[in-house]
Amino acid sequence: RGAYVRLSARKACAKVHAALAAKFGRSDAPIDADAAVTSSVDEDAAKTAARTIDVDAAVAALDADGDGGVSAGDLVASSVDVLGVSLTDYSSQAVIRSICGEREQFNAELLASWYEAELISQSVVPVMCFADLRESLERARKASVSGNGAQFIVLEVTSDSCRACRKFERKFERIASRESMRGRATFLRLQTGVGKGKAAAAVCDWLKVEATPTAIFFKGKEEVGRFVGSDVMRFDRELQSVLDGTADAAAIEQQHNADNEQTQNREEQGAQEEEEVVVAK
């Protein structure tokens, strides 16, 4: 039930974001949102996006009661006419919370900050099961054959209980949202751990992921490398190497094994230190 509620709120935010882009997007900086489309987000709504929108015009159009800010009630009253999106009381409240937190209404400044943050977060597509991953890989395979579209997949495997993962996630999103990644790579995220379900764990096992965060690179449907750890600069260099076609598969595999060995050594060292402390007591 909780997961369903979160998904419904996410869909409402995605629809409003895409509708704002379509209605108020600045024509001088359009982007393609195909990489942000998943089964978790309404595909038709997410097809249109722009890097910036006219926030003043958007707030003025959505402000049904004319008090200078947009509340949940304003969204319910004006969303159909202004955005072409029908919002319930619940979904309107979810959008308001997403935009302005505990405040009751948002202004142009808050809308601008939220729009940019949503644009960045939507650059990474959530993967929840084998079907999601297969769909993305098949799309990349077709792109590699036709030469049209993103041929590369970058899959981030992360865990809620991993502190390094949380640090890495936002920077991963920033890289994914770069203009230079448009049409070259699709960025995915598989979240594992408590509460994420058996389907996500099964995908993680199938991919033979031994530590998080791990980034796996695919060209079409074939894995061409992987990166383990939270060093963003190293990840960025590795990503560029893969995209430019200069990655050494053997070197990548060697680095992957070394990273896993280093992680295992740290875990064993930590366990030994804990044992020594217990003995000392």
Side-chain angles (χ1 to χ4, degrees), residues 76-122:
V76 172
S78 62
S79 60
V80 173
D81 292 336
V82 176
L83 301 177
V85 175
S86 178
L87 296 175
T88 63
D89 289 337
Y90 167 76
S91 57
S92 296
Q93 290 285 354
V95 172
I96 291 295
R97 284 195 298 272
S98 178
I99 296 175
C100 54
E102 298 301 319
R103 302 182 187 183
E104 295 184 353
Q105 58 183 21
F106 63 82
N107 55 20
E109 183 179 357
L110 289 171
L111 181 61
S113 298
W114 173 82
Y115 185 87
E116 181 182 5
E118 280 288 296
L119 193 64
I120 292 171
S121 67
Q122 288 182 14

Side-chain angles (χ1 to χ4, degrees), residues 2 11 24 74 88 96 109 153 158 186 219 228 235 271 275:
K11 282 185 175 181
F24 301 101
D74 290 331
T88 63
I96 291 295
E109 183 179 357
I153 296 287
T158 182
T186 300
K219 183 175 183 181
V228 180
F235 165 75
E275 184 177 343

Side-chain angles (χ1 to χ4, degrees), residues 17 45 55 59 72 76 79 81 103 106 123 147 151 175 179 190 200:
H17 187 274
V55 290
V59 169
V76 172
S79 60
D81 292 336
R103 302 182 187 183
F106 63 82
S123 61
Q151 302 178 23
I175 292 174
E179 187 73 17
L190 172 67

Side-chain angles (χ1 to χ4, degrees), residues 4-276:
Y4 174 77
V5 170
R6 287 193 298 272
L7 182 57
S8 298
R10 186 76 193 103
K11 282 185 175 181
C13 291
K15 285 184 176 182
V16 169
H17 187 274
L20 285 167
K23 181 76 173 182
F24 301 101
R26 298 186 185 278
S27 58
D28 59 336
I31 68 165
D32 182 357
D34 281 346
V37 177
T38 72
S39 57
S40 300
V41 178
D42 185 87
E43 294 198 13
D44 294 331
K47 284 292 186 182
T48 307
R51 290 213 173 270
T52 59
I53 61 172
D54 187 339
V55 290
D56 291 320
V59 169
L62 292 169
D63 182 14
D65 57 14
D67 64 354
V70 180
S71 64
D74 290 331
L75 283 179
V76 172
S78 62
S79 60
V80 173
D81 292 336
V82 176
L83 301 177
V85 175
S86 178
L87 296 175
T88 63
D89 289 337
Y90 167 76
S91 57
S92 296
Q93 290 285 354
V95 172
I96 291 295
R97 284 195 298 272
S98 178
I99 296 175
C100 54
E102 298 301 319
R103 302 182 187 183
E104 295 184 353
Q105 58 183 21
F106 63 82
N107 55 20
E109 183 179 357
L110 289 171
L111 181 61
S113 298
W114 173 82
Y115 185 87
E116 181 182 5
E118 280 288 296
L119 193 64
I120 292 171
S121 67
Q122 288 182 14
S123 61
V124 178
V125 180
V127 170
M128 300 180 183
C129 59
F130 276 114
D132 291 342
L133 180 58
R134 279 197 299 266
E135 181 181 348
S136 295
L137 292 176
E138 179 61 22
R139 189 181 298 120
R141 184 195 67 79
K142 291 180 179 178
S144 65
V145 172
S146 66
N148 296 320
Q151 302 178 23
F152 290 92
I153 296 287
V154 184
L155 173 65
E156 176 199 21
V157 184
T158 182
S159 172
D160 287 346
S161 61
C162 168
R163 184 177 300 177
C165 293
R166 292 194 294 274
K167 178 182 177 182
F168 184 73
E169 283 177 4
R170 180 57 67 178
K171 295 177 181 178
F172 183 81
E173 291 172 357
R174 288 280 180 184
I175 292 174
S177 67
R178 288 175 183 167
E179 187 73 17
S180 60
M181 295 300 165
R182 286 180 55 196
R184 301 185 70 194
T186 300
F187 289 76
L188 311 178
R189 174 175 291 147
L190 172 67
Q191 289 190 311
T192 63
V194 178
K196 298 304 178 184
K198 294 181 179 179
V203 177
C204 188
D205 291 341
W206 180 72
L207 292 169
K208 295 182 171 60
V209 173
E210 299 175 3
T212 56
T214 290
I216 305 176
F217 307 107
F218 297 89
K219 183 175 183 181
K221 298 178 73 172
E222 301 297 324
E223 180 180 340
V224 293
R226 60 175 64 193
F227 176 86
V228 180
S230 58
D231 188 326
V232 177
M233 292 186 65
R234 281 186 55 222
F235 165 75
D236 203 0
R237 288 195 296 267
E238 190 63 51
L239 172 61
Q240 296 302 327
S241 178
V242 170
L243 295 181
D244 293 339
T246 58
D248 185 330
I252 292 173
E253 180 66 22
Q254 184 177 1
Q255 182 64 58
H256 165 59
N257 293 334
D259 288 338
N260 282 338
E261 182 178 354
Q262 185 178 9
T263 300
Q264 184 177 355
N265 289 340
R266 284 199 301 267
E267 291 176 350
E268 291 177 353
Q269 181 179 357
Q272 184 178 359
E273 289 174 353
E274 290 180 2
E275 184 177 343
E276 289 175 353

